[in-house]
Amino acid sequence: MDIFKVLSRGIKAQPKKNQPGAPQLLPSAGAKVNPQFFHDNVGGSNSKRSKKRKRKGTQANNATESGDDDSDASDVDYFAPKPTPEELAAKKDAELKADEPKKQKPKLMEEDECRQTLKSHRLKFTVLAGRVQQPEEPTEKPSKKKKQKKDKKEQEEEDKKKKKKDEDKKQIYPQPLNSFGELKYTYGIHPTLADNITRQGFRVPTEVQMGSLPLQLRPEMALEKASGVEDVKVERGIDFLGVAPTGSGKTISFLIPAIDAIIKRRAEDYTPETDEHVLQAIVVAPTRELASQIVNEGRKLAIGTGVRVVLMKRTLRLVAEENKQEETEQDGKEADKDSDHDSEAESEPEEVLASDEEEEEEEDSDAEKNEESKAKGDKKSKKERPITKVDILVTTPKILLNFLCGGEKEKGKPRIVKKTLPTVQSLILDEADVLLDPIFRKQTMGIWRACTHPNLGMTCWSATMASNIEALLTKSIEKRAKRTPEQTPKPLIRLVVGLKDTAVPNITHKLIYCATEPGKLLALRQLLHPVSSADSGPPLRPPFLVFTQTIDRAQALHDELKYDIPLEAGGSARVAVLHSSLSDSVRSKIMARFRSGEVWVLITTDVLARGVDFAGVNGVVNYDVPVSAAAYVHRAGRTGRAGREGGVAVTFYTKDDIPFVKSVANVIAMSEKQAGKDIDEKDTVKAAQGSVQKWLLDALPKVAKEDKRKLKVRGVESRRTGGKATITTKSSWERRRENNRREAIEASKRRKREAQKAEKEGGAAPVEKDEDWTGLD
Ligand SMILES: Nc1ncnc2c1ncn2[C@@H]1O[C@H](COP(=O)(O)OP(=O)(O)OP(=O)(O)O)[C@@H](O)[C@H]1O
């Protein structure tokens, strides 16, 4: 044996990341162990603590966690007397009891420790509303002379400081969730639910789960050691706003408390007479794809708990009450008033999301027809259809509002909310910023008002949250509370993970300039098949998503790209297109093919930009620049899910986009800052990777507010209609030449027709100026 080989086996130098030969980390490898985005070193006490807590866990936990199951082997006594059946039964009882949630008071962290842990994971909590008013202390008013002395700048700075101080004052430090084990032993969730979490392979809570679960499950316990919360009354529960990066696990953050609350309420209220399933929670999501994904997640968590999670359909009948104070569009107008003051709200282009909803209606009507004909076969009319047994309903806004209004909107007539849902105690808005944006606002507000339970809890989630939407939410919660007997709102607590500024920190961003529209198609082809590695960095590994501005452009890009994958590698089946003009069944099939890895390149619109979770997507290409910073965050966030590394977001821009590209460049710069990379002009490596350089960031023009608003609603105007809407590799010169030829042929034909007509009428044929030219015909 070569002894040197043996000795050097363990110390052989491994190729470093990014070096040739080094294994490339990709989201599709799915090898991420820790799904947490941030873990800053804040004094180092946190790491010590987590080790300590692990040792303090239950014995059973310790045995499995440390992997020392064999440690008991030395204690085995082969000659001990066999236990009697009574002893065995007693042992089993003891084991079951050990498995039950502990009755004694769990040990909580002191505030200082909480602060350290929260800071190291960049979790920031603020009480936005619902503090019980304390009588104000009289403050000395500054004299007029003093006021005059201060110049404007000084005053502004002072105001800023005061604002920050107020914010800091409102900041609180509740208990974080250090492990999923605490859910069962400290926060008392049902053991089956706890087992389902483990069964799904979730080992470490993500930041948003760390921060949000204790507060949602046991707010009084989560705030027990916190200071500055004397005026925060949590007996009736809390309302919650969670702002956390894309792919950070927000879905289970709202599903776990919703499922647990239903199990508990059912255990308390259940009698043989009451119905086992009562609609208690509604989750609203902006697109059908996202809604059905939430249903799937919910069903996995609810296995064996008896909780039914259902996707809203037109054919569903829910338990509802007649609305006594019939609300008409007057209330819609109320919301409109708010929308005027929120004219800057972040939104997706109307065409994409709104048309998705319309499409949904059409599809549903097809489904309804089918079901109706089935029902006729069973000799049952629509009215006799049984009430759907549901505990958690997941829906898009319009379809539920249609149910509440008893049909679709007739043109020119105000809509009346005819039904209310008094049993609903929890309303969850996923992608809340878009649901409260003018596109969906009326529908969302309508649903909110229909949930009439006096103790309704509200939780809102998104990766992006404009301040005006936040203000609208706070105002609406306060307004609603005034109608309740208590008159005071529940505390509204906001959790922000990372910095408040929007960012996607764990992926690589590339901003690529293409001089012309056809240049973008060439650049995309180069990403697929680079001529040399220097062209545009490493090739984009499939599977990846390509976003366009409109449905037409998605379709056109698909036509252009579908033969780009060689037949031997799967051919045109590897490239697919998904948008809201396709039927529901086609959409679901494409989603399934993309998830299974059969489709490598999925061309789509903003309909898939929010919430949809494809764990193994390696990259995102913004073929057309997203319409806002928020839209960029959501599109780019389709890769790098649950902290996976190696995701890439490539954005092409042409000179048409220059007025709008600054907001995207800012998000990229912020993401790199959050990831710990500084933007440095001299950093040539980064320049080659396409990250935004400072000179570019400075040079890009600022977008005017009005332009921003227009862009959000309509996108880049030239891409909606006209020549630029078509996607082709032909240069404008080639296209002009083709047009000229086509026009010449048309003109020649026209002349011929005119000559024939003149001959028939017996007159002289019109004299042509260039009679020698015979044209192209
Ligand atoms: N604790 C965890 N450990 C590992 N993976 C997790 C954990 N929690 C959630 N995930 C996984 O992370 C992925 C992203 O989760 P989810 O879709 O809830 O993200 P999100 O925050 O809602 O993203 P988006 O803002 O894009 O909607 C999912 O595949 C989910 O299964």
Side-chain angles (χ1 to χ4, degrees):
M1 200 196 309
D2 184 352
I3 191 70
F4 290 111
K5 247 188 192 174
V6 175
L7 287 174
S8 59
R9 205 181 272 162
I11 53 162
K12 196 177 170 190
Q14 295 292 326
K16 276 186 186 169
K17 242 204 248 177
N18 302 334
Q19 262 185 11
Q24 206 185 333
L25 264 180
L26 284 172
S28 54
K32 184 75 193 172
V33 189
N34 186 349
Q36 292 172 348
F37 285 82
F38 313 106
H39 204 147
D40 303 343
N41 196 2
V42 185
S45 68
N46 179 51
S47 52
K48 247 190 220 169
R49 192 197 141 71
S50 54
K51 271 180 207 158
K52 238 189 199 170
R53 286 182 72 81
K54 256 187 196 169
R55 257 180 258 132
K56 275 184 193 166
T58 59
Q59 280 182 1
N61 267 356
N62 279 346
T64 44
E65 267 174 34
S66 56
D68 54 359
D69 290 8
D70 292 347
S71 59
D72 288 344
S74 57
D75 300 335
V76 175
D77 181 357
Y78 292 100
F79 306 103
K82 280 192 177 170
T84 59
E86 289 80 36
E87 277 172 341
L88 274 177
K91 200 179 161 196
K92 213 169 181 186
D93 265 6
E95 271 173 16
L96 280 175
K97 265 186 195 159
D99 227 26
E100 268 176 23
K102 291 247 160 68
K103 292 280 183 299
Q104 77 255 37
K105 213 172 170 213
K107 201 166 175 278
L108 297 174
M109 288 160 80
E110 289 307 320
E111 191 181 28
D112 235 23
E113 239 178 325
C114 289
R115 193 192 298 251
Q116 292 275 1
T117 310
L118 297 175
K119 275 197 171 162
S120 84
H121 286 280
R122 303 193 196 173
L123 299 168
K124 193 174 167 188
F125 293 87
T126 320
V127 183
L128 291 185
R131 280 188 187 263
V132 179
Q133 295 286 318
Q134 304 283 345
E136 266 181 41
E137 281 173 32
T139 46
E140 207 184 299
K141 274 190 182 173
S143 66
K144 254 189 187 175
K145 265 189 189 172
K146 256 189 192 175
K147 227 180 185 180
Q148 273 170 356
K149 263 187 194 173
K150 275 185 193 170
D151 66 354
K152 232 183 172 183
K153 236 183 181 179
E154 236 176 276
Q155 186 69 37
E156 266 173 23
E157 237 160 64
E158 216 165 80
D159 285 349
K160 250 187 200 173
K161 266 185 202 166
K162 201 175 167 243
K163 209 176 163 194
K164 200 172 175 293
K165 227 177 168 183
D166 283 351
E167 270 271 308
D168 289 344
K169 236 193 209 170
K170 281 185 204 162
Q171 203 172 329
I172 53 169
Y173 300 96
Q175 298 287 319
L177 183 79
N178 293 295
S179 73
F180 279 126
E182 286 181 3
L183 285 180
K184 188 165 149 187
Y185 297 108
T186 307
Y187 298 98
I189 68 162
H190 195 273
T192 315
L193 178 56
D195 289 348
N196 290 342
I197 296 169
T198 318
R199 207 171 295 149
Q200 283 204 55
F202 300 148
R203 304 265 174 268
V204 186
T206 64
E207 274 90 1
V208 68
Q209 293 156 7
M210 273 181 104
S212 67
L213 286 170
L215 267 175
Q216 289 182 88
L217 290 164
R218 303 268 305 263
E220 72 298 341
M221 188 188 277
L223 292 176
E224 198 180 305
K225 302 271 176 175
S227 58
V229 290
E230 302 73 29
D231 50 356
V232 180
K233 304 287 172 227
V234 295
E235 297 82 39
R236 288 163 51 227
I238 59 161
D239 288 331
F240 193 81
L241 169 62
V243 185
T246 49
S248 61
K250 293 186 282 294
T251 313
I252 70 163
S253 304
F254 59 72
L255 283 174
I256 293 173
I259 295 172
D260 192 56
I262 290 170
I263 300 173
K264 285 197 180 123
R265 261 178 236 139
R266 189 182 289 169
E268 280 164 18
D269 305 342
Y270 181 73
T271 61
E273 292 81 46
T274 52
D275 194 344
E276 199 189 344
H277 300 283
V278 178
L279 177 59
Q280 287 183 25
I282 292 181
V283 184
V284 189
T287 62
R288 174 176 280 243
E289 274 77 13
L290 181 53
S292 52
Q293 183 181 296
I294 296 169
V295 171
N296 284 342
E297 289 285 309
R299 283 182 184 161
K300 279 190 249 165
L301 284 176
I303 293 171
T305 60
V307 174
R308 283 203 72 193
V309 187
V310 173
L311 180 68
M312 180 68 188
K313 287 198 180 128
R314 255 197 165 199
T315 44
L316 286 197
R317 271 187 68 213
L318 305 168
V319 180
E321 267 179 19
E322 210 176 297
N323 189 8
K324 277 162 202 148
Q325 351 151 299
E326 292 209 334
E327 289 177 9
T328 62
E329 267 198 336
Q330 197 97 47
D331 301 275
K333 272 180 201 156
E334 219 174 276
D336 265 356
K337 248 191 260 161
D338 291 330
S339 83
D340 288 339
H341 102 265
D342 294 318
S343 52
E344 276 180 72
E346 300 278 6
S347 70
E348 313 302 313
E350 204 172 8
E351 184 174 274
V352 179
L353 288 172
S355 64
D356 179 52
E357 283 293 302
E358 268 150 34
E359 171 60 30
E360 188 172 78
E361 295 308 298
E362 277 166 35
E363 288 155 23
D364 284 336
S365 60
D366 283 346
E368 193 179 3
K369 269 179 220 157
N370 288 343
E371 211 145 299
E372 263 179 33
S373 57
K374 252 192 229 166
K376 266 181 201 163
D378 296 345
K379 292 186 180 165
K380 272 185 187 173
S381 76
K382 194 174 160 190
K383 274 188 183 165
E384 283 167 49
R385 235 179 276 146
I387 282 179
T388 311
K389 289 181 185 249
V390 46
D391 297 295
I392 300 179
L393 181 78
V394 187
T395 180
T396 50
K398 195 173 178 180
I399 192 162
L400 181 56
L401 194 75
N402 280 347
F403 167 80
L404 296 171
C405 294
E408 276 177 48
K409 185 177 160 76
E410 279 179 51
K411 263 189 187 166
K413 280 194 179 176
R415 292 192 104 185
I416 297 167
V417 179
K418 291 178 188 157
K419 294 171 199 159
T420 59
L421 302 166
T423 53
V424 176
Q425 296 194 39
S426 167
L427 179 64
I428 299 159
L429 303 185
D430 194 13
E431 309 298 342
D433 53 337
V434 85
L435 290 175
L436 293 169
D437 192 83
I439 302 174
F440 289 113
R441 188 174 297 164
K442 269 188 193 176
Q443 297 157 17
T444 309
M445 290 290 188
I447 294 169
W448 194 354
R449 276 191 298 272
C451 300
T452 49
H453 197 287
N455 207 27
L456 178 81
M458 174 96 173
T459 66
C460 299
W461 307 83
S462 185
T464 50
M465 186 57 65
S467 54
N468 46 2
I469 299 284
E470 206 171 273
L472 168 73
L473 184 70
T474 316
K475 214 172 111 186
S476 307
I477 287 179
E478 280 169 352
K479 223 173 176 183
R480 187 185 160 101
K482 283 192 185 132
R483 287 188 229 148
T484 62
E486 284 84 8
Q487 296 270 311
T488 47
K490 289 179 189 178
L492 169 63
I493 299 179
R494 179 189 66 192
L495 162 65
V496 179
V497 179
L499 303 178
K500 178 87 183 43
D501 308 79
T502 44
V504 191
N506 61 318
I507 64 169
T508 307
H509 300 263
K510 295 180 180 188
L511 198 55
I512 298 177
Y513 177 69
C514 303
T516 57
E517 273 284 320
K520 288 207 294 194
L521 196 55
L522 289 177
L524 179 57
R525 286 207 160 107
Q526 248 176 34
L527 284 178
L528 259 172
H529 316 283
V531 181
S532 75
S533 59
D535 275 347
S536 54
L540 207 52
R541 287 273 194 92
F544 62 87
L545 285 159
V546 183
F547 287 98
T548 63
Q549 184 181 303
T550 61
I551 296 169
D552 287 348
R553 285 175 69 78
Q555 200 64 59
L557 188 59
H558 178 242
D559 293 343
E560 274 289 332
L561 278 189
K562 68 180 165 196
Y563 300 114
D564 272 35
I565 310 272
L567 210 59
E568 294 73 23
S572 60
R574 295 285 187 209
V575 185
V577 61
L578 191 151
H579 49 72
S580 59
S581 295
L582 299 172
S583 75
D584 185 33
S585 59
V586 172
R587 271 159 79 166
S588 328
K589 268 183 210 151
I590 295 169
M591 290 283 282
R593 281 174 56 214
F594 190 58
R595 279 189 204 280
S596 70
E598 198 187 322
V599 169
W600 289 354
V601 181
L602 182 57
I603 301 159
T604 186
T605 59
D606 276 322
V607 77
L608 287 194
R610 278 181 177 256
V612 183
D613 181 51
F614 301 112
V617 164
N618 289 326
V620 165
V621 178
N622 290 315
Y623 191 80
D624 294 329
V625 166
V627 292
S628 64
Y632 178 80
V633 168
H634 289 280
R635 281 185 184 183
R638 294 316 98 207
T639 183
R641 313 285 295 166
R644 284 182 177 83
E645 283 167 25
V648 184
V650 182
T651 306
F652 296 137
Y653 69 105
T654 64
K655 62 178 187 312
D656 278 359
D657 303 307
I658 286 176
F660 312 111
V661 93
K662 183 136 187 163
S663 42
V664 172
N666 278 336
V667 177
I668 298 178
M670 185 52 71
S671 304
E672 292 184 345
K673 196 174 163 196
Q674 284 213 29
K677 293 182 211 163
D678 282 330
I679 305 160
D680 187 349
E681 266 177 272
K682 287 170 202 156
D683 193 343
T684 46
V685 179
K686 257 180 239 161
Q689 284 174 353
S691 71
V692 190
Q693 295 182 51
K694 203 171 173 308
W695 63 263
L696 179 61
L697 208 57
D698 292 341
L700 287 169
K702 266 195 171 180
V703 192
K705 265 188 183 176
E706 184 55 23
D707 287 343
K708 253 189 192 175
R709 203 185 58 79
K710 260 192 215 158
L711 188 72
K712 273 172 210 160
V713 179
R714 295 188 54 84
V716 176
E717 202 63 38
S718 61
R719 289 196 190 114
R720 291 176 73 91
T721 48
K724 281 178 185 166
T726 46
I727 287 175
T728 167
T729 36
K730 282 177 195 147
S731 68
S732 53
W733 181 81
E734 277 176 299
R735 271 184 289 156
R736 211 166 32 238
R737 201 177 60 166
E738 267 184 18
N739 280 348
N740 287 348
R741 279 174 68 145
R742 207 177 309 121
E743 274 168 20
I745 293 168
E746 278 300 314
S748 165
K749 281 182 183 167
R750 199 174 50 241
R751 275 195 300 273
K752 232 183 188 174
R753 272 197 306 273
E754 277 170 6
Q756 279 167 359
K757 202 177 159 194
E759 241 173 62
K760 258 190 197 171
E761 285 168 3
V767 183
E768 289 189 12
K769 274 175 198 163
D770 48 353
E771 279 171 345
D772 294 343
W773 193 70
T774 51
L776 285 162
D777 45 351

